[in-house]
Amino acid sequence: MALDLREATGGERDPASAGGYAEPPERVGFFTDTSVCIGCKACEVACKEWNAVPEDGLLFTGMSYDNTGSLGADSWRHVAFVEQPRRLGRQETHLAPTELPPDLLRSAGGRTAVSLGMPASAPPDGHVSAAAEMDFRWLMSSDVCKHCTHAACLDVCPTGALFRTEFGTVVVQQDICNGCGYCVPACPYGVIEKRPSNGLVSKCTLCYDRLSVGQEPACAKSCPTDSIQFGELSELRERAAGRVRDLHDAGVTSARLYGADPHDGVGGAGAFFLLLDEPEVYGLPPDPVVTTRDLPAMWRRAGLAAVGLLAALAAVAIPGARR
């Protein structure tokens, strides 16, 4: 369990080893580079197709192009669309504005702009000139279960339906789940949810069946831009740190990693992200903490209080019995 892991290892030992696996393979996970996500939703489709995840209502909210809304029992992958009223990367990177080719400018000059009702990247008057005039940017990110090192869902599951795999991931066995729902509020990311159709919890398994035969998860396999990268977690962290350095060198100073620190509140995530803004912008908690962190101390204090109460009752009862 996660509590045993945290107390026994201080967060340094591989979770699969602490979970009882004698010689587990290297821990694997996801590195999601949101700077190259194009919002195509191929990961959502591949996840549903491979894992037979039910369709959960393709609803157009009118607030963005996001028709999934959030992670849930029937949405193991969720591509977030965040539109910000600010210019694109050139404003941030201090690079020179990119002028459009003269031929394109001449051909566009004689055309009449037609509104398609979509967000435009040109000024309202339809004038086409430097790309630096773009006045908004999209932030896109494919969210997923974090497969935490210290997983509160494992701590609170009474049936063992949630278990740690040899790859360090966290998986739900629906044939053992009794639908109690204790894991739902225990997750600091709000990932786990009960499926309305059967009352059982469901979430990403990191395609455990594919990992078992040496294949990468379906979402990573389908990503056309390699925004979702799968591999050994130690190697992914090194790659992600290099990517952040490259972006900083290019002037994108807002780039930062989320969930990659093994000393954070969940001991580091098995699925971490490169973000271009604060975590809250993407709907992620800024400083997640395993929700069962204080349970050992709480039980110790409750035990001491119980012992003290019994001692007080005995001190009162024994003299009374002598009289």
Side-chain angles (χ1 to χ4, degrees), residues 39-53:
C40 67
K41 294 179 176 283
C43 54
E44 287 191 13
V45 175
C47 176
K48 282 183 175 290
E49 288 187 345
W50 181 263
N51 296 288
V53 178

Side-chain angles (χ1 to χ4, degrees), residues 237-269:
R237 286 172 175 167
E238 293 180 4
R239 187 188 309 172
R243 174 63 175 161
V244 170
R245 287 193 297 269
D246 291 343
L247 287 173
H248 285 179
D249 291 343
V252 188
T253 57
S254 63
R256 84 282 307 273
L257 293 180
Y258 178 84
D261 183 4
H263 302 289
D264 65 12
V266 297

Side-chain angles (χ1 to χ4, degrees), residues 146 148-151 188-189 259 261-269 288-291:
K146 312 308 181 289
C148 308
T149 299
H150 307 317
Y189 298 99
D261 183 4
H263 302 289
D264 65 12
V266 297
V289 174
V290 57
T291 52

Side-chain angles (χ1 to χ4, degrees), residues 10 24 32 49 71 79 81 86-87 100 109 147 167 171-172 177 224 232 234 284 315 319 323:
T32 301
E49 288 187 345
L71 292 174
V79 178
F81 289 72
R86 56 182 296 182
R87 295 192 177 190
L100 297 176
H147 295 275
F167 302 103
V171 174
V172 181
C177 177
E232 295 181 1
S234 56
L284 296 168
R323 290 196 297 270

